Amino acid sequence: MMTITVRPLTPADRTQWQPLWKGYLDFYKTSVPPEQYDLTWSRFHDPAEPMFVLGAFEGETMLGIVHYIFHRSCWTAGPTCYLQDLFTVDAARGKGVGRALIEAVHAAAKAEGASRVYWQTHETNATAMVLYNKVADRSGFLVYRMAM
């Protein structure tokens, strides 16, 4: 049985975080420039930013990451939490790592007085949806976006 520890990442965790985020981006067949890695990492460690990062560990080995952001909503007085990126290494899939990360975000959102945690995934990500369908309700909303 795997013992998973979930905790906020510190600046010393960057060398383990970056390959996992790259793995997430590769999974979705996209990339960001090197300076975006730097900017994103600095935002996680800036107390003025509403962006956060957690890592799931077995011992000292990072098995997964989750990024989440708090924002205001017109529908509630408290904040809303957007779980933006969730990724686990292949060897950890199906072993509770993704669930542990989602539960940790949910706990952080509850502590902040958030009304909900929400996220999106690609319609072809059937493996992740097996977990998501167990831990959350599917909203039925579709996402549209416009590039600038």
Side-chain angles (χ1 to χ4, degrees):
M1 185 71 167
M2 186 178 283
T3 302
I4 303 164
T5 303
V6 176
R7 65 167 175 79
L9 298 187
T10 68
D13 294 314
R14 169 117 188 218
T15 58
Q16 288 196 77
W17 165 81
Q18 189 161 323
L20 291 176
W21 194 36
K22 183 179 184 317
Y24 175 86
L25 296 170
D26 289 348
F27 178 82
Y28 283 111
K29 297 176 177 55
T30 191
S31 63
V32 297
E35 58 271 12
Q36 187 63 45
Y37 284 87
D38 295 336
L39 179 60
T40 298
W41 187 252
S42 70
R43 286 176 172 167
F44 292 143
H45 302 289
D46 180 346
E49 288 284 351
M51 295 176 62
F52 301 90
V53 60
L54 301 172
F57 293 83
E58 181 177 38
E60 298 297 315
T61 304
M62 193 181 303
L63 302 174
I65 58 170
V66 65
H67 305 153
Y68 60 102
I69 301 167
F70 289 107
H71 64 85
R72 300 225 183 266
S73 170
C74 295
W75 293 28
T76 62
T80 297
C81 182
Y82 176 50
L83 189 158
Q84 187 171 28
D85 309 310
L86 174 69
F87 184 77
T88 67
V89 297
D90 285 340
R93 295 201 179 122
K95 297 184 177 171
V97 175
R99 180 185 293 266
L101 288 165
I102 291 169
E103 288 173 354
V105 171
H106 185 266
K110 187 173 183 179
E112 286 293 318
S115 59
R116 74 173 51 110
V117 175
Y118 72 101
W119 61 93
Q120 57 187 336
T121 193
H122 195 270
E123 62 189 12
T124 61
N125 194 356
T127 302
M129 285 190 279
V130 170
L131 170 61
Y132 300 163
N133 288 332
K134 291 177 184 175
V135 300
D137 297 322
R138 194 167 173 179
S139 71
F141 283 88
L142 301 175
V143 175
Y144 292 85
R145 60 184 175 193
M146 298 171 66
M148 299 296 185

